[in-house]
Amino acid sequence: MKPNGPSVLMVDDIPENLTTLEAILEPLRLDMVKATSGLQALRLLLKKDFAVVLLDVRMPTMDGFEIAEAIRGRERSRLTPIIFITAVGRTDEQVQKGYSLGAVDYIIKPFSPEILRWKVSNFVELYLGKKKTETHLRKIRNLSVRMAEVNRKLKASEEQLRKSYLAAEARYKDLVVRAGEAKEAVVLLQDCDGIEARHVFANKEWCRITGCGLDELRGKSLLEFFSQDNVETARCTIETWLSGKNAPGLRQIQVKSKSGVSTPVEIGGAPTDFQGRPAAVAYILDITEEIETKQLKDEFISMVSHEMKTPLTVVIGALGTLLRHRESLSVDDQTELINDSVLAAESLAHLVNNLLELSRSQASSLSLSLSSLNLCDLLKKMVTGMSRPYPERLFVVNCPNPCPVNADELRVERIVYNLLDNAAKYSPQGTEVTVSAEQRGSEIAVSISDRGDGISSADQEKLFVPFERLGKSSAGSAGGTGLGLIVCKRLVEAHGGRIWVESQPGAGSTFFFTLPTATEDAELFA
């Protein structure tokens, strides 16, 4: 259908941009005139009037500001509305210069086609109104009222556009904030004039991994952070994204910070566009913890298998000997074999119980069965039980009686057993292990002291980490599975208590934990 509306002049040295503008404005059925240079535009303005001029800022020979100044210098086009359209970042100086040359608006690419059509349609309407006013100027007395109304509408439109802009800006800031708080590193990349992918934006996580600030990253090649072995693989993947195509991500690839620290990561991404140019968003996940967890799991399986095998071997060997040779064994020998089996089975049971407690706490399914207990009786019972596996240790209990606490009896036994077992393992034969309890405000504090080699400050930080085993026991081997103390910590904290250690190398160690006092039930134990 042939356009029958007023003429609109579109000026841009890139024909593709003119075609795009023509497609956007096509629904308005205007007479769209295209010019690819400033001189061509000025010649067209000499021949006819235009409702509005859409003018690109960046052009060779004459830029948009020079063309606008020439347009305003001619009487015929002095009042022709000019809308600047540019991909150059908007600054206050550029905007002020544009408005000083008579521009009515300043639009940044990429822009909303609907908003551009709406703006142009307003100026077309204004143009038609002006022509009509000129024709009937002598007959219409309320010209000033009509022009004021048009002006009011324009201001209202500008205010609405301002509000829309502020809302869009707020949404963008929200996205930036969420990206900044994401667990994954988020990087926006852009191909800058054929140069390999450069940073446009990165969140805090990527700044942490690279050791660079955001200002330091902008414009820097992403490939600078990949190890030499990974550069080509990463380059191919990123170039595929920047070409607008999807590509599979990269797994366990090494990136290096500016200080040389290497981090294993997984990388995913997707093509996008930014300010009208090809771009890509990369999602980079630090998998250091995942790799360490896998290694820890493998070590744990190996360690637990060994720890289970030892008591099982004792049980099988002792019971097998008893079954095969019971008629030739004395009563004392039979009793010793049975005792060995029981002690080994108890050791295995404690290992399994620690594993179960740790599993429950990690799955957040640890529930306590609280009741009022006389802690003094419980400590004495546990010490008596420890005398069997450690007959060469001297266990001493210092505890006020009664000593009421509000706790889960089985879980407290688990805590005390693990701490007593550690104290006995790391104490020389014939030395004393002291168990004490005292009232501290609304808590009962329990301490278990040994006469071992003590623990350095550096090693104390590792005590409550799963599977950590420090030094060697009094028997000369690495002690236990490294589960006992982390289980104690989880169980004590489930009761609302605290656990800590006081130790110096060569001076033994004292482990403390607290439990809430059952003051209202103290009379039950009197």
Side-chain angles (χ1 to χ4, degrees):
M1 184 178 294
K2 185 178 181 180
N4 57 9
S7 299
V8 173
L9 178 59
M10 302 177 294
V11 187
D12 197 311
D13 62 307
I14 301 175
E16 292 82 359
N17 290 346
L18 293 173
T19 302
T20 299
L21 288 174
E22 185 177 30
I24 291 172
L25 299 178
E26 195 276 335
L28 300 180
R29 297 181 62 195
L30 302 173
D31 176 22
M32 287 175 277
V33 181
K34 293 182 266 186
T36 56
S37 69
L39 291 176
Q40 185 183 4
L42 293 175
R43 290 193 190 101
L44 290 168
L45 285 161
L46 286 174
K47 297 177 182 179
K48 64 186 302 184
D49 295 332
F50 293 91
V52 63
V53 177
L54 305 180
L55 182 56
D56 183 34
V57 173
R58 295 182 65 181
M59 289 195 299
T61 308
M62 293 180 70
D63 64 23
F65 295 128
E66 292 172 331
I67 298 171
E69 189 173 4
I71 291 173
R72 288 290 175 261
R74 294 176 176 179
E75 183 62 25
R76 179 167 185 168
S77 58
R78 182 171 58 86
L79 300 178
T80 302
I82 299 173
I83 296 177
F84 282 117
I85 300 178
T86 181
V88 180
R90 183 167 77 176
T91 65
D92 290 343
E93 291 181 0
Q94 290 173 321
V95 174
Q96 184 178 0
K97 183 176 181 180
Y99 284 131
S100 69
L101 294 173
V104 295
D105 212 332
Y106 202 103
I107 298 178
I108 304 296
K109 297 178 183 177
F111 53 81
S112 168
E114 291 79 10
I115 290 178
L116 180 62
R117 279 196 296 269
W118 185 84
K119 286 177 177 287
V120 170
S121 66
N122 269 322
F123 286 111
V124 167
E125 181 181 350
L126 181 62
Y127 174 82
L128 293 173
K130 178 182 174 183
K131 288 298 182 182
K132 188 175 181 180
T133 299
E134 290 174 352
T135 303
H136 300 90
L137 183 60
R138 298 175 185 176
K139 300 179 181 180
I140 302 174
R141 297 180 179 179
N142 62 346
L143 175 63
S144 60
V145 176
R146 290 180 59 191
M147 291 303 295
E149 179 64 16
V150 171
N151 193 44
R152 185 192 67 78
K153 289 182 179 180
L154 287 174
K155 287 182 178 180
S157 299
E158 289 177 0
E159 178 64 18
Q160 184 61 39
L161 288 174
R162 186 185 70 83
K163 290 179 179 179
S164 299
Y165 173 79
L166 291 175
E169 185 179 46
R171 288 193 297 271
Y172 172 74
K173 287 181 178 178
D174 180 60
L175 288 173
V176 170
V177 168
R178 281 188 285 168
E181 295 174 350
K183 180 180 179 181
E184 292 177 314
V186 181
V187 183
L188 178 61
L189 305 168
Q190 193 166 40
D191 188 349
C192 303
D193 299 321
I195 302 174
E196 60 193 17
R198 303 281 170 170
H199 289 77
V200 177
F201 168 80
N203 69 346
K204 292 179 182 178
E205 175 65 6
W206 183 240
C207 292
R208 179 192 69 79
I209 293 173
T210 60
C212 297
L214 179 57
D215 291 338
E216 189 177 356
L217 286 171
R218 283 197 180 98
K220 187 184 289 289
S221 170
L222 180 67
L223 297 178
E224 291 183 24
F225 295 101
F226 289 98
S227 64
Q228 195 62 38
D229 295 339
N230 300 145
V231 168
E232 287 306 315
T233 302
R235 186 198 305 276
C236 294
T237 300
I238 294 168
E239 285 180 353
T240 301
W241 292 334
L242 288 172
S243 68
K245 301 176 183 177
N246 289 312
L250 305 172
R251 177 168 175 77
Q252 204 160 327
I253 189 170
Q254 296 290 325
V255 298
K256 285 190 175 181
S257 69
K258 68 176 182 180
S259 62
V261 177
S262 184
T263 303
V265 299
E266 286 184 359
I267 303 179
T272 184
D273 63 83
F274 181 72
Q275 294 183 345
R277 297 176 64 89
V281 177
Y283 303 95
I284 305 172
L285 180 64
D286 182 349
I287 57 173
T288 302
E289 184 176 346
E290 178 184 330
I291 293 174
E292 291 176 349
T293 300
K294 184 179 183 302
Q295 293 173 343
L296 195 63
K297 178 182 176 183
D298 293 341
E299 293 172 5
F300 166 69
I301 292 172
S302 175
M303 178 175 56
V304 170
S305 298
H306 173 75
E307 291 296 327
M308 285 186 168
K309 183 178 180 180
T310 301
L312 281 173
T313 301
V314 172
V315 171
I316 294 170
L319 294 180
T321 300
L322 188 61
L323 286 173
R324 289 191 300 271
H325 306 290
R326 62 182 178 277
E327 294 179 356
S328 61
L329 292 172
S330 67
V331 173
D332 289 342
D333 289 338
Q334 292 182 27
T335 301
E336 184 178 353
L337 287 171
I338 292 172
N339 283 333
D340 289 345
S341 298
V342 170
L343 289 174
E346 287 178 348
S347 175
L348 184 60
H350 286 300
L351 172 59
V352 172
N353 284 333
N354 276 336
L355 288 170
L356 289 174
E357 295 289 17
L358 184 62
S359 176
R360 291 189 190 103
S361 66
Q362 289 178 332
S364 301
S365 60
L366 179 61
S367 59
L368 302 179
S369 178
L370 300 176
S371 62
S372 295
L373 308 173
N374 188 340
L375 184 60
C376 188
D377 291 344
L378 185 145
L379 293 176
K380 291 177 180 178
K381 181 182 75 171
M382 296 301 298
V383 163
T384 300
M386 293 301 293
S387 298
R388 285 194 303 158
Y390 298 103
E392 66 284 348
R393 306 293 191 276
L394 177 61
F395 293 92
V396 178
V397 179
N398 298 317
C399 180
N401 196 8
C403 188
V405 294
N406 188 38
D408 184 319
E409 182 174 4
L410 292 178
R411 266 51 186 270
V412 175
E413 288 181 357
R414 170 71 28 211
I415 296 167
V416 175
Y417 174 86
N418 284 330
L419 295 178
L420 282 174
D421 189 49
N422 277 351
K425 280 179 182 176
Y426 291 95
S427 292
Q429 292 189 19
T431 59
E432 187 176 279
V433 174
T434 304
V435 182
S436 302
E438 63 175 341
Q439 183 81 38
R440 293 186 182 181
S442 60
E443 296 178 321
I444 295 293
V446 179
S447 63
I448 298 177
S449 303
D450 62 54
R451 300 296 182 268
D453 293 336
I455 307 168
S456 68
S457 298
D459 283 343
Q460 287 180 33
E461 297 179 1
K462 306 175 185 177
L463 282 175
F464 298 100
V465 176
F467 319 129
E468 281 285 354
R469 298 182 294 174
L470 306 180
K472 297 184 181 297
S473 68
S474 60
S477 60
T481 60
L483 294 177
L485 289 179
I486 185 61
V487 168
C488 289
K489 178 178 173 65
R490 300 279 173 84
L491 293 179
V492 168
E493 290 178 348
H495 282 85
R498 297 167 292 119
I499 186 169
W500 70 98
V501 65
E502 294 178 3
S503 179
Q504 291 182 355
S509 305
T510 301
F511 283 82
F512 297 85
F513 70 92
T514 63
L515 294 171
T517 305
T519 53
E520 67 276 12
D521 296 322
E523 59 194 46
L524 297 177
F525 304 102

